[in-house]
Each structure stands twice: as structure tokens, then as C-alpha cells.
């Protein structure tokens, strides 16, 4: 059974930085899209960042472009999300996700509750 283990949730002051990481175990595919979606209370889930194992250019939500960077180690099937210049509106539960899909379909929209996702980790940004 596929397992995704997330690390890095916590609280941070607005303007600060935080890093999430995720490791995928027992995933049977070598070609996949991996990234994060998030959901704040009372809001719809939002795809945040996605990158394909073929190492094409990552895809970001407009709301995080220029502030978040996603990186991966495809050999180890791990991914990290570096979040800088955090805002209160970044407060949400963040879910690491992996989806069996080709590179052309590896977008933030693909990250939302498709494939396999982790249990979620809370990021709280205080202003």
C-alpha cells in the first residue's frame, strides 16, 4: 500500500519561512506527478505546487508564485516545499500528493484529491 509521510507543519510569523517535506513509499510507478494541495477551513482545496518525476518545470498556483519553491529527489521519491514570505492567507492544512499522470498533466489542479495523498500537516501563519 502506498504511504506518504509528511513532515514540517507548524506555526510561523508572517513574512517568515517554513519548509515542508514528504516521502513516498511503496509507490509502484517511476513516472508520476508529486506536489501539494492545501485547504483552509471553510474554503475549497487549492493546488499549490506540482512537479513531475521527469523533472520538467514545476507548476505553481498564482497565489504562491515567487514565494514557494518545490523540489524533488526522484530517486528517493521525496519532495520538499520551501515557503518564503509567508502570509496569513497561507494558513491551511497542506497535503502531499502523488499522482500517476504524464508530464503534460502535472499541474496544481491535478494535485487536488487525486491519486494518493498524505494525512495533512497544518501550517499556521500569524500576522
Amino acid at each position: 500500500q502506498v504511504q506518504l509521510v509528511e513532515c514540517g507543519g507548524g506555526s510561523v510569523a508572517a513574512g517568515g519561512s517554513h519548509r515542508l517535506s514528504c516521502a513516498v513509499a511503496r509507490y509502484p510507478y517511476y513516472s508520476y506527478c508529486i506536489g501539494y494541495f492545501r485547504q483552509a477551513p471553510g474554503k475549497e482545496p487549492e493546488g499549490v505546487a506540482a512537479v513531475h518525476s521527469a523533472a520538467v518545470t514545476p507548476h505553481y498556483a498564482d497565489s504562491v508564485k515567487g514565494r514557494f519553491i518545490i523540489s524533488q529527489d526522484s530517486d528517493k521519491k521525496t519532495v520538499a516545499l520551501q515557503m518564503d514570505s509567508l502570509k496569513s492567507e497561507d494558513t491551511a492544512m497542506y497535503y502531499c500528493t502523488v499522482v500517476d499522470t504524464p508530464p503534460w498533466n502535472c499541474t496544481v489542479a491535478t494535485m487536488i484529491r487525486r491519486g494518493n495523498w498524505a494525512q495533512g500537516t497544518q501550517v499556521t501563519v500569524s500576522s
Side-chain angles (χ1 to χ4, degrees), residues 4-120:
L4 292 91
V5 179
E6 285 185 287
C7 294
S11 297
V12 62
S17 297
H18 205 69
R19 185 177 177 88
L20 303 179
S21 62
C22 175
V24 182
R26 296 198 282 273
Y27 194 69
Y29 306 110
Y30 290 96
S31 176
Y32 54 85
C33 181
I34 191 167
Y36 288 84
F37 74 91
R38 66 186 181 185
Q39 188 165 22
K43 293 190 176 180
E44 292 294 313
E46 175 189 25
V48 175
V51 63
H52 199 271
S53 58
V56 295
T57 304
H59 191 236
Y60 297 97
D62 287 343
S63 58
V64 307
K65 264 180 199 171
R67 301 188 297 120
F68 289 13
I69 296 175
I70 189 168
S71 59
Q72 65 162 333
D73 183 331
S74 56
D75 289 340
K76 296 180 181 177
K77 288 184 180 168
T78 60
V79 68
L81 186 68
Q82 177 65 36
M83 304 182 290
D84 297 324
S85 302
L86 282 161
K87 306 175 181 179
S88 56
E89 50 263 44
D90 294 318
T91 295
M93 188 74 81
Y94 284 72
Y95 299 87
C96 175
T97 302
V98 62
V99 181
D100 174 25
T101 196
W104 62 265
N105 196 41
C106 186
T107 68
V108 292
T110 304
M111 293 290 95
I112 302 174
R113 300 197 179 281
R114 297 185 188 178
N116 301 89
W117 60 89
Q119 75 282 0

